[in-house]
Amino acid sequence: ELLEVIPAPKPPAFQPLDEAQAKTLESGALVQIVREGEGEPPAAAETFVLDYAIWTTDGELIEFAEGANGKIKANVGQMNYAFLREVPPLLRPGGVAIVRVPAKEGAEAGRSPEWTTKTTIWRLELVEVLRPLPIPTFEGGPEPVRVEELAA
């Protein structure tokens, strides 16, 4: 008996990069922030969650998070690709970037997926930053006992 039909997830709409609004990253990728987001960007050691979609430069969908392995959850140091180390610190939670990634970026990381052999357009959305909880300070409580008092 079929209980429920769950529709397939839909990818976000393709949005080409506007070179006039983009800046070049050290990796050679071009990035355009299309939505700012709010709050603080992730620090290098903080874990973040990225939603992503990848297209060819002519708008053919290659892969997207909900249709593949899910969102990217990592910190900057765990990223295999230079542009994925460079873009998250530019985003605030809820922020979206369009990134044109040159083919060499994938080849240099030693990866073999289809998208590494051609220039691609990525849509990256910083979903959230998983910040560590602050260490609480403890005040009050019993007075410390000195060793001399125990010997008496």
Side-chain angles (χ1 to χ4, degrees), residues 1-5:
E1 172 182 332
L2 181 63
L3 299 176
E4 179 181 8
V5 175

Side-chain angles (χ1 to χ4, degrees), residues 6-144:
I6 299 173
K10 294 186 189 237
F14 175 70
Q15 182 174 356
L17 179 91
D18 179 353
E19 288 190 38
Q21 300 294 318
K23 74 176 196 175
T24 303
L25 301 175
E26 193 174 309
S27 65
L30 285 174
V31 63
Q32 174 192 4
I33 307 299
V34 294
R35 187 170 70 212
E36 285 297 327
E38 296 180 9
E40 293 300 314
E46 291 179 321
T47 300
F48 53 80
V49 178
L50 282 178
D51 193 6
Y52 73 93
I54 312 167
W55 293 270
T56 61
T57 53
D58 61 0
E60 178 188 340
L61 181 67
I62 296 172
E63 179 179 305
F64 69 107
E66 297 303 321
N69 299 322
K71 295 175 175 64
I72 298 168
K73 182 178 178 182
N75 66 43
V76 170
Q78 294 171 319
M79 298 286 94
N80 290 330
Y81 303 103
F83 78 98
L84 286 175
R85 290 189 294 274
E86 296 169 323
V87 175
L90 302 176
L91 294 172
R92 299 175 183 282
V96 175
I98 304 299
V99 187
R100 187 170 71 202
V101 180
K104 70 178 182 90
E105 171 74 15
E108 287 175 0
R111 302 294 183 207
S112 59
E114 173 190 354
W115 62 264
T116 63
T117 62
K118 57 183 89 172
T119 297
T120 50
I121 303 293
W122 287 60
R123 179 189 186 276
L124 297 173
E125 178 177 355
L126 183 61
V127 177
E128 67 179 313
V129 178
L130 305 172
R131 303 191 192 281
L133 295 173
I135 298 173
T137 56
F138 294 98
E139 295 180 16
E143 291 295 318

